[in-house]
Amino acid sequence: MMAWLPFAIVGWIAAVALYGIVASRNLVNMVACLTVLQSATYLLFASIGYVRDAAPPILYAQPPPERTVDPLVQALCLTDIVVGAGVTAMLLAMVLQIHRRTDTISTRALRERRRR
Amino acid sequence: MTRHLACLGVVGAFGTVLLIALLRLPAFGTALGPLAQFYVAHAVLDLHVTNVISAISYGYRGFDTMLEEFIFFASITSVSIILRNTLETNDEDEAAARGRPVVERSDAINLVGLIWIGLTVVLALSLIVHGQLTAGGGFQGGAILGTALLTVFLVTSRKTFERISPDVLVKVADSAGAGSFVVLGFIGAVAGVGFLGNFLPLGEAGSLLSGGVLWLINLAVAIEVSAGYALLFKEYLREVFDAESSDEAASAEG
């Protein structure tokens, strides 16, 4: 019964982060919610790759372990984390530039501005 | 209010579909898929590398990692472009003359900072160099090295941070790291083993110089990631400090 709990948590975090992105009134808040959504995908990778009673996929010890956890999803995940930090930095730089030009970071004010 | 209800409706629909899809995955904690079993069984034999994750990242799927590194490089470059500033003032004495308080650093912060930065740099270099043997690698160690540089700014001043990360060095290291990945791939193609193929002696699995070209790719990625983070911090610090002084100069004149 506890087997569905990790996936339920992934779905919950993804739904909450998506709600934050869609409904946030502050651009910095939106970027932070995007970071939370990325964290949900990292948790999904970790949940997919887990194998019970298994060792990490480091075959350095002699003899090597028989059961290891999934190395493929970990390889996908680790580049994603570093690249995600860079993309978040770029998004925050864009928010800074928006504030420089329009003196506001409220989505409501920006929407009014675009309508004018 | 209706906007919030509409948002909740959309997110609820998405969440339901996601949950149904997630519950159809294989049960939590079951055995590996066939591709992962292949990688675990063949990584040491093919590449003489004991860290299967590094073998996948830089060996079997090195092309994907190269493109992800280009994503990182592009995001750092776009930060430099977006935060371009016309006025550049690097004068901290000028800032002090304008009445901003100049606080003396306490000895406790100096001591803790020295120990902390030293340990962090050693950990980062160890993770980078042993990437093909045990847990670690270029991405992880490079990110930790970047945070060590930021800790230098936090403990000391901006002047020291700018001194240890000069503009030319950081930019050249960033580009060289990204470029040498491609150059190593092309050397493999010219040598006849395919793009990003191995053309160096593989060494003995478990020793420091094992993995052939995979170890060099590891080092290139580490240089690129740490220089990229340093460039990112420099750009943001320039935005905060120099924009402040240029704003004050503009308001003082106008």
Side-chain angles (χ1 to χ4, degrees):
Chain A
M1 188 238 175
M2 278 296 130
W4 54 264
L5 194 58
F7 298 123
I9 294 176
V10 169
W12 171 248
I13 295 178
V16 169
L18 187 64
Y19 176 73
I21 291 176
V22 170
S24 66
R25 295 220 198 97
N26 186 343
L27 285 181
V28 178
N29 195 5
M30 193 185 291
V31 175
C33 290
L34 182 67
T35 308
V36 175
L37 188 58
Q38 288 175 336
S39 305
T41 60
Y42 307 149
L43 185 59
L44 179 62
F45 280 143
S47 308
I48 290 178
Y50 182 65
V51 178
R52 288 190 204 277
D53 301 326
I58 312 291
L59 308 176
Y60 188 74
Q62 300 299 331
E66 316 99 38
R67 278 160 68 99
T68 60
V69 296
D70 194 346
L72 185 56
V73 290
Q74 290 186 33
L76 292 173
C77 190
L78 70 92
T79 57
D80 202 6
I81 293 177
V82 172
V83 168
V87 171
T88 305
M90 184 188 70
L91 289 174
L92 288 175
M94 277 199 234
V95 170
L96 270 174
Q97 182 74 338
I98 289 175
H99 184 261
R100 243 200 242 166
R101 284 182 181 271
T102 65
D103 215 17
T104 176
I105 54 172
S106 154
T107 55
R108 180 175 295 173
L110 289 171
R111 202 175 299 140
E112 297 291 323
R113 221 182 131 88
R114 196 172 56 179
R115 219 175 279 149
R116 261 191 280 124
Chain B
M1 189 60 200
T2 55
R3 189 168 146 266
H4 274 272
L5 282 179
C7 291
L8 270 176
V10 165
V11 169
F14 167 78
T16 314
V17 171
L18 181 66
L19 204 57
I20 294 175
L22 284 179
L23 289 178
R24 283 168 170 235
L25 284 172
F28 178 70
T30 49
L32 297 180
L35 187 56
Q37 282 174 3
F38 172 82
Y39 284 143
V40 171
H42 287 88
V44 182
L45 299 172
D46 289 346
L47 301 174
H48 289 212
V49 160
T50 55
N51 183 3
V52 186
I53 304 171
S54 283
I56 295 175
S57 282
Y58 308 118
Y60 290 111
R61 300 205 168 184
F63 196 64
D64 297 340
T65 306
M66 187 176 78
L67 296 178
E68 298 230 11
E69 198 189 357
F70 283 169
I71 297 176
F72 185 70
F73 186 71
S75 63
I76 304 296
T77 310
S78 59
V79 169
S80 300
I81 293 174
I82 291 172
L83 295 183
R84 186 160 288 172
N85 218 352
T86 49
L87 282 172
E88 285 204 25
T89 357
N90 286 336
D91 212 332
E92 282 197 14
D93 301 323
E94 211 178 273
R98 286 208 194 97
R100 195 182 297 160
V102 178
V103 182
E104 266 206 35
R105 291 196 314 273
S106 73
D107 286 335
I109 291 186
N110 280 338
L111 180 66
V112 169
L114 187 67
I115 298 175
W116 182 264
I117 293 168
L119 288 177
T120 309
V121 169
V122 167
L123 174 69
L125 293 177
S126 166
L127 281 182
I128 292 171
V129 167
H130 295 113
Q132 81 282 12
L133 295 178
T134 175
F139 277 104
Q140 297 96 315
I144 294 178
L145 200 53
T147 59
L149 288 174
L150 185 64
T151 314
V152 169
F153 163 70
L154 288 175
V155 169
T156 63
S157 63
R158 187 188 173 212
K159 199 177 279 184
T160 316
F161 178 71
E162 291 292 333
R163 215 188 307 159
I164 65 168
S165 59
D167 225 10
V168 173
L169 176 68
V170 167
K171 289 184 180 169
V172 165
D174 194 19
S175 315
S180 47
F181 205 139
V182 183
V183 166
L184 286 170
F186 273 124
I187 295 178
V190 164
V193 287
F195 189 73
L196 286 177
N198 185 35
F199 53 91
L200 292 174
L202 278 177
E204 184 189 320
S207 71
L208 192 61
L209 291 178
S210 56
V213 75
L214 193 145
W215 193 63
L216 293 180
I217 292 175
N218 199 16
L219 291 181
V221 166
I223 293 173
E224 203 266 336
V225 169
S226 51
Y229 274 119
L231 192 57
L232 199 62
F233 298 146
K234 281 165 66 70
E235 288 295 330
Y236 272 106
L237 286 177
R238 199 162 61 102
E239 166 77 15
V240 170
F241 281 90
D242 295 338
E244 258 183 14
S245 51
S246 72
D247 282 344
E248 287 181 12
S251 62
E253 291 165 9

